[in-house]
Amino acid sequence: MTAPALTDRPAVAEPRARFRDLLAAEWTKLWSLRSTYWTLLLSGLAVIGLNVNAAVADHHNWPRYGADIRAIFVPIWAMRDAFTQVAGLVLMLAAGSVGAITITGEYGTGLIRTTFSAVPDRRSLVTAKLIDVTVVMLGYGTVVAGASFWATQAILSGRHAGLSIGYPGAFQAVAASAVLAPVCALIGMGLGAIIRHGAATMVITTAVLLLLPFCFTDHYRWTADIEHVLPASAWQRLIDVGYGRFGFPVRRPTTTTEAWIALALWALGAALVAITVVHRRDV
């Protein structure tokens, strides 16, 4: 009897990648980009610095404020110092950029072909990316939001005008600012999966997050409804602890529950878009 030929040996199937291995691999990819470190570090310092600058300015100008301003400084102005609009825009842009880079970076270098060859299950691969980015950006948002609130209120406390985390709506404002970062990052990932070009994705992400809210007003019901569900508007609703109070009427009000739902839907919708688009489209 002759020995069986080498070609007769049964093929050994390669083991499928475990999901935790995909998480580890994508985690390594995310932190291997220098842009991740620099974007998170510089934007975090910028956000905190802008908020602290606002608090320092109010602390310095406090003796010149009249009784009408002092009467509503807590909580309205104190919270606005903790989370200024400009700082919020910087946070959204930075988070959206990090999310976009995790998708467009691989398409731009061509590494995505190698990745798909190694891991044919694209849905699991993109899900791993989404989870890693969400965890990182939630941590980033928590640190930046917590540091901004603590630093600004510590400064304002020198004038007895600071807020405690126990003030009604204060914890919600900090939580909303922390959650805003992963929501914007997921939006950047969703747009990156569709566009697949770094510069174009950055432009569209900036337009959606920063410019689109200026296209809608509360003059009509339908424009107000659209404005309320945009990420920036939903965030501003959640940090506005004086909403509809202190003699500031709201023409077409919305609730904090609706604002939380809007942020959740943006995150979920962007994640589903990224998974679906990458799975169905060719490289």
Side-chain angles (χ1 to χ4, degrees):
M1 179 181 292
T2 59
L6 294 178
T7 55
D8 295 335
R9 294 178 181 177
V12 179
E14 294 185 1
R16 295 183 61 185
R18 293 174 298 183
F19 188 71
R20 65 181 181 182
D21 295 330
L22 294 180
L23 288 172
E26 292 305 319
W27 183 271
T28 301
K29 283 184 186 178
L30 178 61
W31 289 110
S32 65
L33 297 173
R34 291 184 179 180
S35 57
T36 301
Y37 291 96
W38 286 111
T39 300
L40 296 181
L41 176 61
L42 296 180
S43 65
L45 292 176
V47 170
I48 297 171
L50 288 167
N51 294 330
V52 167
N53 181 67
V56 170
D58 279 330
H59 183 279
H60 178 74
N61 295 327
W62 182 263
R64 293 192 290 272
Y65 289 159
D68 54 341
I69 295 179
R70 295 190 182 192
I72 62 172
F73 194 93
V74 176
I76 296 178
W77 283 29
M79 187 58 73
R80 288 178 180 175
D81 285 349
F83 305 108
T84 61
Q85 185 175 14
V86 175
L89 297 180
V90 172
L91 185 147
M92 287 189 286
L93 181 59
S97 299
V98 171
I101 289 173
T102 60
I103 294 288
T104 61
E106 289 197 68
Y107 279 102
T109 60
L111 180 62
I112 196 68
R113 297 179 182 274
T114 304
T115 300
F116 288 158
S117 297
V119 186
D121 188 353
R122 298 186 181 186
R123 283 176 291 198
S124 295
L125 178 68
V126 177
T127 301
K129 285 181 180 289
L130 293 167
I131 292 175
D132 284 343
V133 170
T134 299
V135 170
V136 170
M137 298 312 298
L138 182 59
Y140 163 81
T142 300
V143 171
V144 172
S148 291
F149 183 82
W150 175 81
T152 55
Q153 301 315 301
I155 293 170
L156 295 175
S157 293
R159 297 294 188 181
H160 304 287
L163 292 172
S164 70
I165 194 65
Y167 188 92
F171 179 78
Q172 174 181 265
V174 176
S177 300
V179 169
L180 182 65
V183 170
C184 294
L186 292 177
I187 292 173
M189 292 186 72
L191 292 173
I194 296 173
I195 302 171
R196 302 186 177 189
H197 186 276
T201 300
M202 296 298 182
V203 172
I204 300 300
T205 301
T206 301
V208 171
L209 294 176
L210 308 188
L211 303 180
L212 195 58
F214 295 101
C215 298
F216 301 96
T217 66
D218 61 354
H219 291 297
Y220 304 99
R221 181 77 244 181
W222 70 273
T223 57
D225 289 341
I226 295 176
E227 180 187 22
H228 290 160
V229 301
L230 296 176
S233 301
W235 169 69
Q236 290 175 351
R237 171 64 183 91
L238 292 168
I239 67 172
D240 190 354
V241 293
Y243 188 81
R245 300 160 56 196
F246 306 102
F248 295 101
V250 179
R251 180 179 298 180
R252 302 188 186 279
T254 185
T255 66
T256 56
T257 300
E258 292 171 338
W260 282 116
I261 291 174
L263 290 179
L265 290 177
W266 274 99
L268 180 60
L272 291 176
V273 166
I275 294 172
T276 303
V277 170
V278 173
H279 174 70
R280 293 187 175 182
R281 289 174 59 180
D282 294 332
V283 178

